[in-house]
Amino acid sequence: MYIICTLFGVSASYSQGDIIPLWPNGVPNQQKTNESETQNRDDILWIENVQQPTLEVFLPTKRNATGKAMIICPGGGYQGLAYDWEGTDIAKWLNSKGIAAFVLKYRLPLSKSIIKKEKAPLQDVQRALRIVRHNSSNWNIVKNQIGIMGFSAGGHLASTLSTRYEANNSFEADSIDHVSARPDFTVLIYPVITMKTPNTHLGSRNNLLGENPPQELADHYSNELHVDKNSPPTFIVHSTDDEAVPVENSLLFYKALKKEKVPTEMHIYPHGGHGYSLAIGKGHLQTWTDRLAEWLQNLK
């Protein structure tokens, strides 16, 4: 079900699983091609070639609502989206804590429909946060308690928003595009942070920037280089034995946040590898969600 009227502040009612198009009047930085979105439903829902980016709405009951909200960026190496594994399952967990959640289906840079491929994911996540903030009263959300959460490459996108939320639009803006896109807090789970060797995840870098990006472009999307004192409070989880996205990604971002005196909490687990979502059945690692719930509850 697509809801368009809410984008311009018209009051409406919402239910679990409503889907909102980010760009009802035409997707910027996109050209018409014969591509279509693909979905593979095996043990997880895997989505590629996103043509119409959307937000899927998950709301707690009004009585349980804390006023906080989270926009979730699933991972997938900028090739696809692990949409339920690192998206809707996480949204349902957040709802159980009284937090409104919005799963972002963002454009992926390998799509031939995108004109400037590295710009599209950030354009989509900026727009997503603006939509949630613009409509916060409709969703029982406090407009300065809206966070961004990302897994793996989705963590790169979340940390890009956290450090480049004021990036200029390269398209004709409408009223929502003037709403602040700064997240009030950031949650990064085994995130890609840097585009610089030797610590980058090469798959994510190649998909976003190409196989041999100019150093200037790699630096521009190495988010540890762009933290400042206005970066949001941040919560980070990673595993030492992550062989896909080295733990150094999180360490680099933590060090940059610490230097700027940004409130930060980081949990490094000895085991877990990569891509564990809620880590159900993985022993001590499964408690990372408890640590996040505590952090969110005590966040000022």
Side-chain angles (χ1 to χ4, degrees):
M1 174 179 167
Y2 285 87
I3 302 174
I4 296 176
C5 62
T6 62
L7 302 186
F8 299 96
V10 179
S11 179
S13 60
Y14 305 91
S15 60
Q16 204 80 315
D18 282 347
I19 296 175
I20 300 175
L22 297 187
W23 310 98
N25 297 320
V27 183
N29 186 28
Q30 186 156 298
Q31 59 193 350
K32 188 173 180 57
T33 68
N34 60 0
E35 280 190 327
S36 60
E37 179 179 302
T38 62
Q39 297 190 2
N40 186 324
R41 295 178 182 272
D42 194 1
D43 57 337
I44 66 170
L45 173 56
W46 178 257
I47 299 176
E48 294 187 0
N49 282 330
V50 173
Q51 302 296 303
Q52 293 292 334
T54 59
L55 275 178
E56 186 168 359
V57 182
F58 291 81
L59 301 176
T61 61
K62 190 172 183 179
R63 184 174 293 184
N64 281 330
T66 63
K68 287 186 173 68
M70 192 85 76
I71 296 167
I72 306 165
C73 304
Y78 282 124
Q79 176 180 342
L81 301 176
Y83 190 79
D84 49 4
W85 179 243
E86 295 172 344
T88 58
D89 282 2
I90 307 303
K92 294 169 188 175
W93 175 82
L94 287 165
N95 279 181
S96 76
K97 304 301 178 182
I99 300 168
F102 302 82
V103 180
L104 177 61
K105 186 170 74 173
Y106 55 92
R107 285 175 291 166
L108 298 156
L110 292 180
S111 171
K112 295 176 183 177
S113 301
I114 300 172
I115 299 168
K116 293 285 188 181
K117 69 175 189 173
E118 72 277 5
K119 294 182 180 295
L122 178 57
Q123 290 171 335
D124 289 348
V125 75
Q126 283 180 305
R127 179 77 171 192
L129 200 137
R130 287 168 171 148
I131 287 172
V132 173
R133 181 160 284 141
H134 181 72
N135 290 282
S136 56
S137 61
N138 294 327
W139 289 316
N140 301 309
I141 294 166
V142 179
K143 65 166 49 179
N144 64 351
Q145 293 191 27
I146 302 170
I148 187 72
M149 182 179 194
F151 294 75
S152 193
H156 183 265
L157 181 55
S159 60
T160 303
L161 179 68
S162 295
T163 54
R164 246 68 55 78
Y165 51 86
E166 292 183 323
N168 292 330
N169 296 324
S170 57
F171 52 85
E172 185 176 350
D174 62 30
S175 60
I176 286 182
D177 296 312
H178 299 290
V179 174
S180 171
R182 180 187 181 275
D184 297 297
F185 47 90
T186 301
V187 177
L188 304 174
I189 312 300
Y190 41 85
V192 178
I193 295 293
T194 190
M195 292 286 118
K196 301 173 71 173
T197 57
N199 294 316
T200 190
H201 176 244
L202 284 175
S204 295
R205 188 181 80 161
N206 292 349
N207 290 334
L208 184 65
L209 305 181
E211 290 190 7
N212 295 293
Q215 188 62 49
E216 182 180 1
L217 188 62
D219 288 349
H220 184 72
Y221 286 94
S222 292
N223 294 328
E224 76 277 12
L225 302 179
H226 303 285
V227 172
D228 63 26
K229 64 181 181 180
N230 296 316
S231 297
T234 302
F235 179 94
I236 306 171
V237 171
H238 218 123
S239 299
T240 302
D241 65 350
D242 190 331
E243 295 183 359
V245 177
V247 69
E248 281 76 12
N249 281 264
S250 287
L251 297 174
L252 286 167
F253 204 61
Y254 176 83
K255 183 177 180 180
L257 291 162
K258 180 175 180 291
K259 181 180 179 181
E260 295 294 338
K261 298 181 170 54
V262 176
T264 308
E265 181 170 323
M266 181 168 64
H267 295 269
I268 304 296
Y269 292 84
H271 306 291
H274 187 75
Y276 40 78
S277 180
L278 294 168
I280 293 171
K282 290 189 176 292
H284 181 50
L285 182 63
Q286 185 173 306
T287 66
W288 79 258
T289 53
D290 298 328
R291 305 290 77 77
L292 174 58
E294 292 167 351
W295 183 79
L296 289 170
Q297 185 175 12
N298 291 285
L299 194 62
K300 304 298 182 183

